Amino acid sequence: MNDFWISCGHHLLDRNDSGGLVVTDEFLKAYFVRPELMPPEDACAVERRLHRELLAEPRRTVAASEVAGITDADARENWQFVLAFRDLLLRHATLEAAYLALVRAGSVHLPPLFVNQLVHVILRNALDGCEDPFVLRAAELFFRTQRLMLHENAALLGDAEVIGGTSPTPVLSLMSMLGAVHDVEVEVLDEDNAAHYWHRSDQFDMGLDLTAGRRGQAALATVMTRWLSHLLGIDVSIEPLTELRDARLTWYVGLDTDATAIGDRLWRGDALDEETNGRILGLYRLSFADPALVLEEVGREPIYLIMAMSAQKLVRLKPQNLLTGLPIRHLEAAT
């Protein structure tokens, strides 16, 4: 079996009997040795002691006053964020449960770096055993910003960091601690080079063809299906569409901020101008295997999923929208 995404640190975690990821001391220590938290030579005694003691006992209680005693403001902020993230993981039985609690809270007070890393490792668990590089490359959209590259009427996506675009998402992986350098060349994934994905999966340097009707869109549908099954324990089918014609948007989910705004306009019956319509990258129809899960007011009406890019041709999926935006009667963690 091929391994992939070593950089997410999945090998540092345990699994419970239900298959959920259980935090370990080794996983926590990987955060404490990140460059942002390594005390420099001129670090104060408080910061040095905190770092030393957490490496020895990564679960130990840290008082707010202790962090407040760190002299350097940037270091103090870094410690506040990483300890808030650590405490979130320690409050819950699994990383999946921690993520669900985070997104259901309605507001996320952690930097995108931590949320994306959590999605990365949970997806690695949800896709464990997957042997389809197209599905794995499509899954990268869940935790890494993409940039659209148009080529001969094809919609090609490349990692925004790798191709040099401006991205708000820092380098995510534990590989950054090892001094890994990304190759800026983007090779679009196809049948001929698909086997190369396995040894390049942590470089994020392969492009994805997301043109309507091609394999990339079907692969993303598979990722969304696995995501919902793993986190909510629900069975759905998700069908890629080439266009949304004469559809009643009784219920829709925007897979990103731009798509949500577009869906709102379509729901109100507004006509889309050419520029806005051109930013729609994907349309999907979702149906539930068990109709009893669906809210009564929706019934058997199809649920549509909309994916779009920003005016700057960036794609920033929000996988939490799938978990919180569907019309289901109750949401319980499967793990």
Side-chain angles (χ1 to χ4, degrees):
M1 182 182 298
N2 291 302
D3 201 357
F4 58 97
W5 299 349
I6 304 299
S7 60
C8 71
H10 69 95
H11 56 289
L12 301 176
L13 293 159
D14 291 332
R15 285 189 177 90
N16 66 8
D17 292 340
S18 300
L21 296 172
V22 179
V23 72
T24 63
D25 287 357
E26 290 73 22
F27 187 77
L28 296 177
K29 288 178 183 180
Y31 280 88
F32 298 150
V33 297
R34 286 183 62 94
E36 303 91 332
L37 294 178
M38 293 295 290
E41 291 183 4
D42 59 348
C44 68
V46 174
E47 183 182 355
R48 288 182 177 279
R49 183 179 66 250
L50 179 62
H51 186 260
R52 182 176 62 253
E53 293 182 359
L54 280 171
L55 282 180
E57 189 183 351
R59 299 171 189 254
R60 87 162 177 85
T61 301
V62 179
S65 58
E66 189 173 356
V67 178
I70 296 175
T71 303
D72 183 82
D74 290 337
R76 190 164 57 244
E77 183 178 54
N78 288 339
W79 277 108
Q80 287 169 342
F81 282 134
V82 79
L83 288 171
F85 181 66
R86 180 202 69 164
D87 292 345
L88 170 70
L89 301 186
L90 293 180
R91 281 197 303 271
H92 298 277
T94 63
L95 270 65
E96 287 86 350
Y99 178 73
L100 283 173
L102 183 68
V103 300
R104 289 172 176 171
S107 59
V108 177
H109 300 294
L110 288 171
L113 167 69
F114 293 101
V115 181
N116 289 336
Q117 287 180 337
L118 198 50
V119 171
H120 189 182
V121 73
I122 291 172
L123 257 183
R124 175 59 183 79
N125 193 27
L127 295 172
D128 191 48
C130 177
E131 294 291 329
D132 186 342
F134 288 87
V135 170
L136 301 181
R137 176 57 184 90
E140 293 177 21
L141 274 69
F142 273 43
F143 55 89
R144 292 188 68 90
T145 300
Q146 307 290 309
R147 182 177 290 277
L148 181 72
M149 304 175 293
L150 292 174
H151 178 68
E152 298 179 351
N153 297 319
L156 309 179
L157 295 182
D159 190 278
E161 290 177 0
V162 171
I163 65 176
T166 301
S167 171
T169 309
V171 173
L172 302 180
S173 69
L174 299 177
M175 294 287 283
S176 62
M177 299 188 309
L178 306 177
V181 177
H182 287 179
D183 182 358
V184 296
E185 182 180 351
V186 175
E187 182 181 0
V188 178
L189 187 69
D190 59 28
E191 295 292 345
D192 292 332
N193 63 23
H196 297 172
Y197 183 87
W198 301 111
H199 68 266
R200 294 168 60 172
S201 71
D202 286 301
Q203 298 176 21
F204 306 110
D205 64 347
M206 300 193 80
L208 178 69
D209 187 347
L210 205 68
T211 307
R214 296 185 183 173
R215 188 166 177 176
Q217 285 210 335
L220 185 58
T222 298
V223 176
M224 292 189 285
T225 300
R226 295 279 289 265
W227 180 247
L228 289 169
S229 175
H230 183 74
L231 281 162
L232 300 182
I234 60 175
D235 185 12
V236 302
S237 61
I238 299 177
E239 172 193 4
L241 305 175
T242 55
E243 60 180 333
L244 190 62
R245 179 180 295 175
D246 300 327
R248 286 185 14 170
L249 291 184
T250 303
W251 200 283
Y252 60 93
V253 176
L255 299 177
D256 51 85
T257 301
D258 296 281
T260 298
I262 291 172
D264 290 345
R265 291 180 59 179
L266 290 172
W267 185 80
R268 292 193 302 264
D270 298 345
L272 299 182
D273 56 79
E274 185 177 351
E275 188 276 335
T276 302
N277 191 65
R279 289 198 282 118
I280 299 175
L281 292 181
L283 296 166
Y284 297 87
R285 182 167 50 225
L286 179 149
S287 57
F288 290 85
D290 181 4
L293 292 175
V294 184
L295 293 174
E296 186 175 350
E297 57 265 34
V298 177
R300 294 184 178 273
E301 291 286 338
I303 293 92
Y304 293 98
L305 311 177
I306 307 172
M307 174 185 171
M309 63 177 173
S310 71
Q312 295 75 36
K313 294 184 169 56
L314 293 177
V315 181
R316 301 185 183 96
L317 291 197
K318 301 176 71 173
Q320 66 268 32
N321 288 7
L322 272 173
L323 304 175
T324 60
L326 292 177
I328 48 185
R329 295 180 184 273
H330 59 83
L331 293 170
E332 297 295 339
T335 51

